[in-house]
Amino acid sequence: VQLQASGGGLVQAGGSLRLSCAASGRTFSNYAAGWFRQAPGKEREFVGAINRIAYSTDYADSVKGRFTISRDNAKNTVYLQMNSLKPEDTAVYYCAAHPSGAWTLLVGVDDYDYWGQGTQVTVSS
């Protein structure tokens, strides 16, 4: 499966952005999906995950209550709605996918085989 992330940009603290990740090449509903981010000089870290059938989600503690992951399997797309953004949310955001069981949530970088190219999110103070 090929993944194309979009929707990043520059936003002031307290603002919102919605990232999208469009999948192609395979039946996307067979894949668990997630979002990760990587700030300069830091390791890539987990942000949110969603299972194949979109009934379950998981989030990093740092984004709980502010970010929402969702997916539309009919559109082969996974989303990350980011509200109340903070300067520490500044990073390159990556979407990821991996074939899995219907209820599986994957939260580790090494859990995923397929990655998008990343989209830059910059939050100014």
Side-chain angles (χ1 to χ4, degrees), residues 9 36-40 45 87-94 119-123:
F36 292 76
R37 66 187 181 186
Q38 188 166 17
E45 65 175 7
E88 51 264 43
D89 294 320
T90 295
V92 177
Y93 282 70
Y94 298 89
T119 183
Q120 176 71 46
V121 172
T122 303
V123 184

Side-chain angles (χ1 to χ4, degrees), residues 21-34:
C21 178
S24 61
R26 292 287 189 270
T27 304
F28 187 56
S29 60
N30 291 336
Y31 292 74

